[in-house]
Amino acid sequence: MAKNLVIVESPAKSKTIEKYLGPDYKVIATYGHIRDLPKSKMGIDIKHGFQPEYIVPDNSKTHIAIIKKEAKASDQVYLATDLDREGEAIAWHVAEIIGKKDAKRITFSEITKDAITNAIKNPAKLNENLFNAQQSRRVLDRLVGYELSPVLWKKVQPSLSAGRVQSVAVRLIVERERKIQDFNATSYYKTTAIFKAGNTTLKSELNKKFNSRNEAEAFLNDCKTAKFNIQGLTKRPAKKSPSAPFTTSTLQQEAARKLGFSVARTMSVAQKLYEAGHITYMRTDSLNLSETAIAASKNEIVNSFGAEYSSPKHYTTKSKGAQEAHEAIHPTVMGVKEAGSDSSEEKLYSLIWKRTIASQMAEAKLESTTATISVSGRKEEFIAEGEVIQFDGFLKVYIESTDDEESDTAKEGLLPTLKIGQKLDYDEIFSAQRFTIHPPRYTEASLVKKMEELGIGRPSTYAPTISTIQKRNYIVKESREGKARKYDYLSLKNGNFSCETKEETTGAEKQKLFPTDIGMLVTDFLVDSFKEILDYGFTASVEEEFDEVAEGKLKWDEMIRKFYGPFHSTIENVTSEKGSKTPPKEGRKLGVDPESKREVFARVGRFGPMVQIGKAEDEEKPKFASLQKDQSIFTITFDEAMDLFKLPRVVGKYEGKDVVANVGRFGPYVSHNGLFASINKDSGDDPMTIELDRAIELIEERKKAIQERILKTFSEDPDAQVLKGRWGPFLKVGKENYRIPKDTDIDKFTYADAQEIISKGPTKKTWPKKKTD
């Protein structure tokens, strides 16, 4: 047994750290949290100071047994879990379990030999304040989840769940969607001129946008006989400064923009880079770089680009309530430009290296030129702008991306040689009809940015929050096709005016966050009934109180008590008979069915959004129809709803049986003789209009796909088949599935083998449990 035991969170770190420390040290992992609140009950003793009841999950018992055994046989135990609040909590729980509260606590922001050996030489004690900050978050979130979720079950729909930060994040997305739904686009006319300037051309924009086609047309007609002169020329120096090194949120944002990574993927890849010793700790809101990192950056910049490119800088953290004095995310060795075990790691590492190096480089020096072009007989002027890089500075390495979706005219490069009074002839002047743009929908990255701006959540919570609200189906991340839109294009060329109607695609969305109907319904109810809990400022103030607990300025149980009293009173009020409004069971009234004279509603049912004719208490049972994927109960019109009742629709006959088009729980489909084939609306197919030939094509494709899944059949029982599954071959008999052992030779698999498997019973179906916190 080793004399010294080092306990870390992840087994991926173990070998690297053990290699740095030598044979007198053994490094083992906890595999994450080893104790937590129970899943089957609240686990908070409210009457006795909100004391949590911690239990050991089944999947941690083996790890704990190993930790106890090794700790008992070691002279010294070092708790080397991560340096944030979650890591401190894990270290605290380990110390309690092994009975060594005096165990030495060591932290490091990078897994390098120097960092590890320095940490061993300078151990500290467990930080009770940091542990209490994590504990208070866990307790408070459990209280909210366990008390709020049953209210949703009673007032909105069974099996729903709510979370303190998650529900606020959903609210952001819902409110943005409502602004988009309420937005009315207005059109204007943007005028551009292409002038001849010697042997080249000069592109310029008119300094006025016209509100109507008549105004734009009148201007172009005036330009037929107008004279164009350079009225003014201004040159001014400009500078661009590099961005600060990455924090958790800025890394998530930039990885999304440049690499297309989801927030969760960014954190997973960054974790691997950290554990392999390539980058510093990836959960941080600090912009600080150590003097060692700054000096290493300077050395790399001078050697690679020259001394004039070096400009060492210290960045200060501006984010409200910034946590522990961590460093910004940066490479552990600045001279290593490439690292990672796969393409994802290589791309993310390159992004981190470039951003870090650029942050320590000189400003870019530019010269901006603006030319003003007069139009005789008119007050308006054309403006041409150009920008020339005189010294590239940090731009040699890195250019930051933005979330700005509005397309505006980019500045030209070097403008042609011009002089005051110079006459210009136009090649073309055109005025294109443009439309105002609704507020952009959130991406994962821009949602993280907004949450950080509002002070909602912290570096360790952004990714799990966004993942949770997607898993709960309150929001979806998807791309949506745009729609065709016609616009006017007015042109003046060679003295001739022309007008044509062109077509463009508008409203296309790529990997954006959309609220689901249930997400909007839940948000409306929570905002109406729990205004404070869903308030952005209140949520941010709770985060600040967690920070005060971490700093030892506030006792954690006092913080919880202050929160819980008003919260629980609101719960009791809302659940009472006189409490908050319950969304009407029938949902949103759309109109009256002209045939049955019964009311038509749009609502969320057991299997999702739907429309309904009639009420449950009517003599005749209500009729139901599921909404299509791109429809919402909040925006569907009466006519669109009535169209849904035209389904199921008999498309025609095939092989003597009806071919039927319909919409079900999993979307639109066609069915024939018990076989169902999905309709992919992205291909242009629609259950309302699909024709027989296309329906037959889908049916035959589905038959072929099913046939290709069949690996084996048995003459003894036609219902028994060996099918190709996601996790390997499995046995299907009727509606039951049976697991086939791995490495089974299917070619030699007999009906007797099948019967033996059947005798052991079907594969148990495991459904994900609903979380309440």
Side-chain angles (χ1 to χ4, degrees), residues 245-257 263 266-267 282-287 319 329 355 444-453 458-460 462-463:
F246 281 131
T247 61
T248 300
S249 68
T250 55
L251 176 63
Q252 290 170 348
Q253 292 163 46
E254 197 71 341
R257 297 180 193 122
V263 168
T266 296
M267 295 312 292
M282 64 285 155
R283 292 189 183 92
T284 176
D285 47 16
S286 172
L287 299 175
S319 63
I329 304 166
R355 175 76 166 234
E444 286 191 352
S446 62
L447 181 61
V448 166
K449 184 178 181 181
K450 186 65 176 178
M451 290 172 68
E452 185 180 38
E453 286 173 2
R458 289 295 183 261
S460 62
Y462 300 136

Side-chain angles (χ1 to χ4, degrees), residues 147-162:
E147 295 211 353
L148 201 52
S149 296
V151 179
L152 291 178
W153 304 343
K154 180 180 179 182
K155 296 282 187 176
V156 183
Q157 185 176 297
S159 301
L160 296 175
S161 55

Side-chain angles (χ1 to χ4, degrees), residues 347-637:
K347 288 174 184 175
L348 193 65
Y349 179 84
S350 176
L351 194 67
I352 294 168
W353 184 88
K354 288 176 180 177
R355 175 76 166 234
T356 308
I357 291 295
S359 76
Q360 298 301 305
M361 292 178 74
E363 295 175 321
K365 295 178 182 178
L366 316 166
E367 184 180 76
S368 181
T369 304
T370 302
T372 306
I373 302 158
S374 64
V375 184
S376 62
R378 300 285 305 200
K379 293 180 180 179
E380 297 88 355
E381 295 174 325
F382 283 103
I383 307 295
E385 293 185 303
E387 197 172 68
V388 180
I389 296 174
Q390 294 186 321
F391 174 64
D392 53 3
F394 76 94
L395 296 176
K396 197 174 192 73
V397 173
Y398 186 83
I399 300 173
E400 186 178 13
S401 301
T402 70
D403 288 317
D404 187 6
E405 295 187 0
E406 293 194 26
S407 58
D408 208 343
T409 306
K411 290 183 179 179
E412 299 285 324
L414 183 65
L415 294 182
T417 302
L418 302 169
K419 58 183 180 180
I420 300 290
Q422 180 180 343
K423 294 180 179 179
L424 298 175
D425 293 321
Y426 70 85
D427 184 46
E428 182 185 11
I429 304 175
F430 60 90
S431 192
Q433 185 182 18
R434 300 289 84 200
F435 299 85
T436 52
I437 304 170
H438 62 64
R441 288 184 172 88
Y442 286 109
T443 61
E444 286 191 352
S446 62
L447 181 61
V448 166
K449 184 178 181 181
K450 186 65 176 178
M451 290 172 68
E452 185 180 38
E453 286 173 2
L454 294 173
I456 298 168
R458 289 295 183 261
S460 62
T461 65
Y462 300 136
T465 295
I466 291 173
S467 295
T468 297
I469 59 180
Q470 289 181 65
K471 286 174 185 173
R472 290 177 177 171
N473 198 37
Y474 289 155
I475 67 166
V476 292
K477 182 176 77 171
E478 61 188 27
S479 297
R480 294 186 182 178
E481 289 185 350
K483 296 179 180 178
R485 176 174 66 190
K486 297 186 186 304
Y487 68 95
D488 295 334
Y489 184 86
L490 315 179
S491 174
L492 181 65
K493 196 161 189 175
N494 299 323
N496 297 316
F497 172 81
S498 64
C499 176
E500 61 180 311
T501 300
K502 291 190 174 184
E503 191 171 272
E504 63 185 354
T505 299
T506 181
E509 302 278 16
K510 186 176 181 183
Q511 294 299 291
K512 295 294 181 65
L513 301 178
F514 296 83
T516 62
D517 281 351
I518 193 64
M520 296 179 85
L521 207 62
V522 167
T523 298
D524 289 346
F525 172 75
L526 291 177
V527 169
D528 179 67
S529 305
F530 298 92
K531 286 180 182 174
E532 190 172 53
I533 298 296
L534 270 285
D535 180 75
Y536 301 129
F538 177 75
T539 306
S541 71
V542 171
E543 291 291 348
E544 290 173 12
E545 290 185 338
F546 290 145
D547 294 338
E548 289 179 19
V549 173
E551 294 163 9
K553 297 177 181 177
L554 180 64
K555 291 185 177 180
W556 77 271
D557 54 341
E558 288 181 6
M559 178 211 165
I560 300 295
R561 187 175 290 106
K562 175 186 164 188
F563 173 94
Y564 183 74
F567 169 69
H568 185 68
S569 295
T570 307
I571 291 283
E572 290 181 328
N573 179 54
V574 171
T575 52
S576 69
E577 291 300 321
K578 297 178 181 179
S580 72
K581 301 174 189 174
T582 301
K585 290 182 180 179
E586 294 83 13
R588 174 175 159 249
K589 184 179 174 182
L590 301 178
V592 177
D593 174 24
E595 191 175 310
S596 66
K597 308 302 181 189
R598 295 200 293 169
E599 291 176 316
V600 180
F601 302 92
R603 70 181 187 89
V604 174
R606 183 182 175 191
F607 298 116
M610 65 180 193
V611 287
Q612 171 180 325
I613 297 176
K615 297 181 180 180
E617 57 267 26
D618 293 347
E619 273 188 46
E620 186 182 345
K621 285 185 178 180
K623 292 180 181 178
F624 305 99
S626 296
L627 267 61
Q628 296 190 44
K629 186 180 178 182
D630 57 352
Q631 293 177 323
S632 165
I633 63 170
F634 294 98
T635 57
I636 191 170
T637 65

